[in-house]
Amino acid sequence: MEAAASPREISPKENPHKAALILARGGSKGIPLKNVKVLAGVPLIGWVIRAALDCELLDSVWVSTDHDEIECIAKLWGARVIRRSPEVSKDSSSSLDTIREFIRLRPEVDIICHIQATSPCLHPYHIKEALEMITEEGYDSVFAVVRRHQFRWTEVKREEGKNPVPLNLDTSRRPRRQDWPGEICENGSFYFTRRELLEKGFQQAGRIAYYEMLPEHSVDIDVDIDWPVAAERVLRFGYFGRDESRVIKLLFCSVSGCLTDGQIYMSVSGEELVSTNTQDLSAVHLLQSENVEVILISSSNDPVSEVLSEKLAERAGCVLRYRVQNKQAEAESLMKERGLQWGDVAFFGTDLQDVECLSKAGFSGVPPGALAASVIASKYTCKNAAGHGALHEFATYLLQLKKKTLSTPNHDNIDRKNF
């Protein structure tokens, strides 16, 4: 939808360089290091990086930050990083100041797609469709909005003795909400602008248009109380990657460091013991009841003995592949027997031998503290520790994704006008 526009003075390039830019300062006042806090198994910034990387129209994806941990996590998720200067890292610094510094340092960029790190329900198609409004329809700046159905009033102080005045409502003809189209409000998800406007100090100028997003995708995290609500929204409406539409039929789970806590205990009599969680064992049964087969698989250097591994498998009621030399080859052999492909399979692992499987699986996860390479390869990082509920958490998440995949677009019965 086009908004009011000023005279156009921009001559667009034939093949402009389109860069996503995510601003992630380390000094969040509301939630410390909010941008890398884990939301539904993924660092907050990871959700928008994943969506941007999977948008085929973007030429590069950048994170601008002043913080070492944010830089590390951004790189783990595949973004390029530009370190912002102290001048634009102050509490008083504006987004525009930081964006203008970015374009000074990256002269090859022609269209800047400023994406907010706090919008975890952003999808690649949102970026694509909004960007095409610039590249194909000739707009100079496009920003995200959501339709709201809220009647607004002026603010008054009680001691003034005045009546509040309606701003968008005729109280004598109060409409039913379903008969009122509502109002368009910025949702803060993104702002796309041509370079020339930003160089002049404008983020919304020239020929302007807005891109309307559905309410369920308009999640913006500002305060800590939003976190559990946002996690539930992301599980239902977030973007989980290109293979999210596949229904998982088989889960491979590593034994040591995933089903167990990775430690071996020794009794007084010299007997070796391992610890697991009853919730994790019940998670295996839960998956099996939902027609998801579970296979335990241990690495060639797994310190857990075969006897203990077999007891765990027996308790869980699933197949065991013990001390496998090549997990990828073993997994592919088992998949072939069942007529499955990697997109039909989930993998829960932690060590170097798991990396290729984590990367190839339709969905994958790791417990907290897993090797960096495993974290990079996986799509979900558990909050609960290995042997203390991590598998249960991952299985629950997996079944939620399955429910989402099998549901129809209107399965959730969302009243979008009153959302």
Side-chain angles (χ1 to χ4, degrees):
M1 182 66 68
E2 184 174 3
S6 58
R8 182 164 181 168
E9 302 176 352
I10 300 172
S11 299
K13 290 184 179 180
E14 185 175 346
N15 293 304
H17 183 107
K18 304 167 288 294
L21 177 62
I22 303 159
L23 307 184
R25 191 168 67 92
S28 173
K29 297 300 182 184
I31 307 174
L33 285 179
K34 171 179 63 179
N35 293 313
V36 292
K37 183 176 178 180
V38 173
L39 176 70
V42 173
L44 179 59
I45 199 172
W47 289 103
V48 291
I49 291 175
R50 175 190 287 165
L53 288 172
D54 283 357
C55 177
E56 65 270 20
L57 292 189
L58 288 171
D59 298 302
S60 58
V61 177
W62 294 85
V63 169
S64 169
T65 187
D66 61 341
H67 196 277
D68 292 341
E69 184 177 353
I70 296 176
E71 176 179 2
C72 179
I73 290 175
K75 288 179 176 178
L76 286 178
W77 280 86
R80 301 169 70 180
V81 172
I82 191 163
R83 292 294 292 226
R84 64 173 67 179
S85 67
E87 288 73 25
V88 296
S89 300
K90 305 172 185 175
D91 290 341
S92 58
S93 300
S94 69
S95 296
L96 183 59
D97 293 335
T98 311
I99 295 170
R100 294 184 74 184
E101 179 184 71
F102 171 78
I103 60 176
R104 285 196 300 271
L105 296 173
R106 307 305 310 182
E108 76 279 8
V109 176
D110 302 300
I111 299 174
I112 294 81
C113 303
H114 171 207
I115 298 173
Q116 300 276 37
T118 52
S119 300
C121 287
L122 185 69
H123 285 242
Y125 75 85
H126 294 138
I127 302 170
K128 177 179 181 292
E129 292 174 358
L131 193 49
E132 285 174 341
M133 296 174 72
I134 294 179
T135 60
E136 297 183 10
E137 299 179 40
Y139 291 102
D140 300 315
S141 56
V142 176
F143 57 96
V145 301
V146 63
R147 191 173 298 272
R148 298 295 189 200
H149 291 74
Q150 295 170 326
F151 298 125
R152 295 180 293 109
W153 293 71
T154 58
E155 182 180 357
V156 296
K157 295 181 179 179
R158 184 170 296 181
E159 58 268 22
E160 292 178 350
K162 298 179 180 179
N163 283 337
V165 178
L167 297 173
N168 61 349
L169 169 68
D170 180 352
T171 55
S172 65
R173 298 180 179 179
R174 187 182 181 92
R176 298 186 306 165
R177 289 172 66 91
Q178 59 266 38
D179 295 331
W180 179 47
E183 294 183 325
I184 292 299
C185 307
E186 290 188 18
N187 70 0
S189 288
F190 59 75
Y191 301 85
F192 296 175
T193 314
R194 293 188 187 274
R195 178 190 190 92
E196 294 87 345
L197 293 174
L198 291 166
E199 288 177 332
K200 295 176 182 178
F202 301 105
Q203 193 167 13
Q204 292 165 298
R207 190 174 175 218
I208 304 172
Y210 60 75
Y211 177 84
E212 185 174 348
M213 294 173 62
L214 293 174
E216 55 264 38
H217 293 134
S218 299
V219 177
D220 187 17
I221 298 174
D222 289 320
V223 293
D224 211 4
I225 196 170
D226 289 342
W227 211 263
V229 176
E232 290 301 316
R233 290 272 291 278
V234 168
L235 287 174
R236 291 174 66 188
F237 306 115
Y239 175 69
F240 294 89
R242 291 182 174 135
D243 295 327
E244 65 175 313
S245 61
R246 301 293 288 268
V247 175
I248 299 301
K249 299 177 181 177
L250 172 62
L251 167 65
F252 290 106
C253 176
S254 291
V255 177
S256 184
C258 286
L259 181 59
T260 75
D261 60 8
Q263 300 186 68
I264 296 179
Y265 304 90
M266 191 76 70
S267 69
V268 176
S269 62
E271 182 182 11
E272 290 186 350
L273 306 170
V274 293
S275 172
T276 190
N277 189 288
T278 55
Q279 278 194 326
D280 291 334
L281 293 176
S282 68
V284 175
H285 301 309
L286 179 61
L287 288 169
Q288 291 168 337
S289 70
E290 294 291 334
N291 298 316
V292 179
E293 184 183 2
V294 180
I295 296 178
L296 298 182
I297 186 167
S298 70
S299 303
S300 57
N301 58 350
D302 196 328
V304 179
S305 69
E306 185 172 7
V307 172
L308 285 177
S309 297
E310 287 176 346
K311 285 184 178 179
L312 288 172
E314 181 180 356
R315 181 69 64 87
C318 56
V319 174
L320 169 69
R321 290 293 184 269
Y322 183 69
R323 288 192 176 172
V324 174
Q325 293 293 328
N326 187 325
K327 283 189 177 181
Q328 181 181 341
E330 181 71 13
E332 289 175 346
S333 175
L334 292 167
M335 287 157 48
K336 186 177 180 180
E337 291 176 5
R338 291 158 176 77
L340 302 178
Q341 298 179 343
W342 276 111
D344 306 311
V345 173
F347 198 96
F348 192 52
T350 184
D351 60 30
L352 285 175
Q353 290 187 337
D354 296 330
V355 171
E356 283 299 318
C357 296
L358 289 166
S359 178
K360 289 178 174 291
F363 195 72
S364 57
V366 294
L371 294 175
S374 297
V375 174
I376 296 170
S378 70
K379 294 182 179 179
Y380 185 91
T381 301
C382 290
K383 181 179 180 181
N384 295 318
H388 296 277
L391 179 57
H392 182 270
E393 177 187 342
F394 183 69
T396 302
Y397 194 43
L398 198 60
L399 292 177
Q400 286 177 315
L401 289 181
K402 181 180 178 181
K403 179 181 177 182
K404 174 185 174 183
T405 300
L406 294 175
S407 65
T408 61
N410 295 321
H411 178 80
D412 294 299
N413 296 319
I414 297 170
D415 179 1
R416 290 186 166 82
K417 286 190 175 182
N418 298 312
F419 192 85

